[in-house]
Amino acid sequence: LVARYTAAANAFGFDTVGRVTGDCPFVDAAMVDACLEQAAGGFDIATTKGAFPVGLDIELYSAAVMARLNAQDDLTESHREHLTLYMYDHKDRFAVRQLQPPAGWPATSQSFTVDTRADYDRAAALAAPFGDAHFSIPDLIERAAA
């Protein structure tokens, strides 16, 4: 993945890359915008991991840093496959910015990730009452808590 993401960033001339994985279907544009605003300034990686509910995850990283990682000879196979793992494993070498949920988001320990059929069924049940794909994450969190 490191090589593919580096090639894609180079092909499109990106300075910063936003990464949302396929198992996080509820990440929306408002959340991405809020994270981009928080991350303004210098960072190697900015992450929601550990501060946002599981499954509402985004990572923003410097394309130049990822290109340097791709050129390194000491990345393990796991570090090459798990795109940002090297940065987390070597936090002392990187400017890591911890992003915080926007003001007004309800606190929750609920998970919104979709890794299994049961996760999918739960996600579909949470989304169905909204009637369409345009609902806010705070509304989703409140529905999950009900």
Side-chain angles (χ1 to χ4, degrees):
L1 276 181
V2 172
R4 281 194 328 210
Y5 272 74
T6 298
N10 286 338
F12 292 99
F14 293 154
D15 295 324
T16 301
V17 176
R19 177 176 182 242
V20 177
T21 58
D23 61 351
C24 296
F26 293 117
V27 171
D28 65 5
M31 181 184 145
V32 173
D33 286 346
C35 289
L36 287 168
E37 287 175 19
Q38 260 188 77
F43 63 89
D44 294 326
I45 185 167
T47 181
T48 61
K49 293 179 184 291
F52 282 56
V54 174
L56 298 176
D57 300 315
I58 184 171
E59 293 172 310
L60 305 168
Y61 66 84
S62 162
V65 169
M66 191 60 64
R68 283 195 303 272
L69 287 180
N70 188 48
Q72 286 183 209
D73 292 333
D74 67 336
L75 261 63
T76 66
E77 186 175 321
S78 183
H79 285 135
R80 288 202 176 276
E81 182 176 338
H82 301 284
L83 183 65
T84 55
L85 180 61
Y86 188 88
M87 287 188 244
Y88 292 118
D89 284 349
H90 300 90
K91 285 183 179 181
D92 58 317
R93 299 181 193 175
F94 299 95
V96 179
R97 170 134 345 138
Q98 179 66 61
L99 302 173
Q100 298 300 316
W105 274 28
T108 185
S109 61
Q110 297 281 333
S111 174
F112 297 94
T113 192
V114 177
D115 291 317
T116 66
R117 178 59 193 224
D119 293 341
Y120 172 81
D121 291 343
R122 180 174 179 276
L126 282 171
F130 291 112
D132 66 27
H134 303 288
F135 53 86
S136 73
I137 291 177
D139 288 345
L140 174 72
I141 293 169
E142 287 178 11
R143 181 169 304 281

